[in-house]
Amino acid sequence: MAFVITPPAQAAISVHGTDELFPVNRIYCVGRNYAEHAREMGHDPDREPPFFFEKHPTSLVFAPSPKGADFKYPQQTKDVHHEIEMIAVLHKGGNDISAAKALDHVWGYGVGLDMTRRDLQGTAKKMGRPWEIGKSFDNSAPVGFIHPVREVGHPDKGAVTLKVNGEIRQTGDLDDLIWKIPEIISILSGLFTLRPGDVIFTGTPAGVGPVSKGDVMIGAVAGLSGIAVRVS
Ligand code: MN
């Protein structure tokens, strides 16, 4: 049977050092996963279980350092924020995956930016509405190369940083993640059937803030190739 319109393109992220692509299924994001960031958003990190939201795979922008890519200032906002994060990508899915087995499901890691229309997210929070329009919009998920586990292992410590126009805005360490990668995968798999191709944004350290047209963001996670994004 033929499709009645051209099927949507398969979203994908380039694999470092190869001409291969990692195909993307769903994109899950963890909220408030560094204590200092939870506090800067007005919450008590000690009392909250992890929570999740999603970005649509069409939100991806491939922006590897040094060349990077443009991020077009989004519609309907005057306060778009950067959130630098490590991302993990899965090659195996499942339900109710134990934390002890969870890392067997990870194919690789990379660097991502969870760009956020903070003003629209803030209004949604106040009105008890979903975060969708604050989080899952065009170009809201710039990413760098995916590094296979066979090259980088499972990073669990090391600096996470974001510079804007050369000035450090966000700093953290993977060691400070409240919910570690195995726990995130285990808990997510209790809520959703995880599938090969799923991508997880693991949370951002403190220092989130706005960017303006003309700004250049350089994001890094120790041991992984970085990301370069110009706001246009
Ligand atoms: Mn985030």
Side-chain angles (χ1 to χ4, degrees):
M1 296 238 276
F3 291 110
V4 295
I5 60 168
T6 305
Q10 170 65 57
I13 308 172
S14 290
V15 174
H16 187 254
T18 74
D19 56 3
E20 295 172 323
L21 296 170
F22 183 87
V24 174
N25 185 50
R26 288 170 76 156
I27 303 175
Y28 297 102
C29 306
V30 187
R32 297 177 205 136
N33 204 17
Y34 287 84
E36 282 304 314
H37 173 61
R39 287 188 200 102
E40 79 180 345
M41 300 305 286
H43 295 268
D44 178 352
D46 298 326
R47 284 203 327 216
E48 291 190 345
F51 68 94
F52 307 96
F53 57 90
E54 284 186 76
K55 286 178 184 274
H56 196 271
T58 55
S59 311
L60 289 169
V61 178
F62 185 54
S65 290
K67 187 161 172 277
D70 280 12
F71 168 80
K72 191 171 179 303
Y73 199 92
Q75 298 161 288
Q76 302 287 337
T77 181
K78 293 187 167 60
D79 194 29
V80 70
H81 279 205
H82 51 76
E83 296 192 359
I84 186 70
E85 315 202 356
M86 185 170 79
I87 65 173
V89 303
L90 308 186
H91 65 115
K92 267 198 313 191
N95 277 128
D96 298 325
I97 299 162
S98 70
K101 291 244 163 48
L103 290 182
D104 298 343
H105 295 248
V106 180
W107 194 85
Y109 295 91
V111 175
L113 267 171
D114 167 14
M115 297 305 294
T116 302
R117 293 193 281 209
R118 193 72 75 202
D119 42 1
L120 300 190
Q121 184 199 26
T123 303
K125 284 181 188 175
K126 268 188 221 136
M127 299 180 78
R129 289 180 179 169
W131 287 12
E132 187 84 5
I133 61 170
K135 288 293 196 178
S136 184
F137 54 91
D138 293 349
N139 305 318
S140 66
V143 294
F145 285 106
I146 299 300
H147 294 257
V149 167
R150 64 173 184 265
E151 282 179 12
V152 296
H154 295 282
D156 59 3
K157 57 179 80 70
V160 180
T161 56
L162 184 84
K163 290 182 191 172
V164 179
N165 305 331
E167 186 182 301
I168 291 263
R169 292 279 183 86
Q170 290 191 262
T171 51
D173 194 293
L174 294 173
D175 195 34
D176 296 329
L177 280 171
I178 298 170
W179 302 93
K180 311 296 186 194
I181 310 295
E183 297 167 312
I184 294 168
I185 291 168
S186 179
I187 295 166
L188 260 179
S189 73
L191 292 164
F192 305 98
T193 299
L194 297 180
R195 297 181 195 281
D198 285 346
V199 173
I200 302 171
F201 277 65
T202 58
T204 197
V208 300
V211 287
S212 309
K213 278 186 191 178
D215 286 349
V216 176
M217 297 177 278
I218 303 287
V221 173
L224 304 175
S225 54
I227 190 173
V229 181
R230 290 172 299 276
V231 184
S232 63

